[in-house]
Amino acid sequence: MASISRFQTINDIPESKGKDVLLKILNSPKADFSKLQKIAADYEKTALEMMKEENKEQRQ
């Protein structure tokens, strides 16, 4: 497997599936972290509610 030095550019990398994947990653839009944090908080809240319900059922 060929290695890539830090002095090479994208154009120096031979055409391959790996280069295609790398370009897709580099060209992907930036993540909206505030939106992702809200989604994670919503999931956490839902999970906690589910665990509380399961605990209630187990105690009965």
Side-chain angles (χ1 to χ4, degrees):
M1 181 186 298
S3 63
I4 300 169
S5 76
R6 62 182 168 166
F7 301 109
Q8 290 178 309
T9 65
I10 293 292
N11 295 330
D12 295 329
I13 301 171
E15 294 299 322
S16 65
K17 185 171 177 110
K19 181 177 179 178
D20 292 341
V21 170
L22 178 62
L23 287 172
K24 284 180 184 177
I25 292 169
L26 292 174
N27 291 324
S28 64
K30 298 287 182 202
D32 183 353
F33 289 107
S34 61
K35 182 178 178 181
L36 292 174
Q37 284 178 328
K38 183 182 181 323
I39 291 170
D42 291 344
Y43 280 136
E44 185 177 8
K45 181 180 176 184
T46 303
L48 288 172
E49 289 172 359
M50 290 172 61
M51 288 190 311
K52 285 179 184 178
E53 287 297 319
E54 286 177 5
N55 285 340
K56 268 188 195 176
E57 291 173 5
Q58 288 176 356
R59 290 181 186 168
Q60 293 176 356

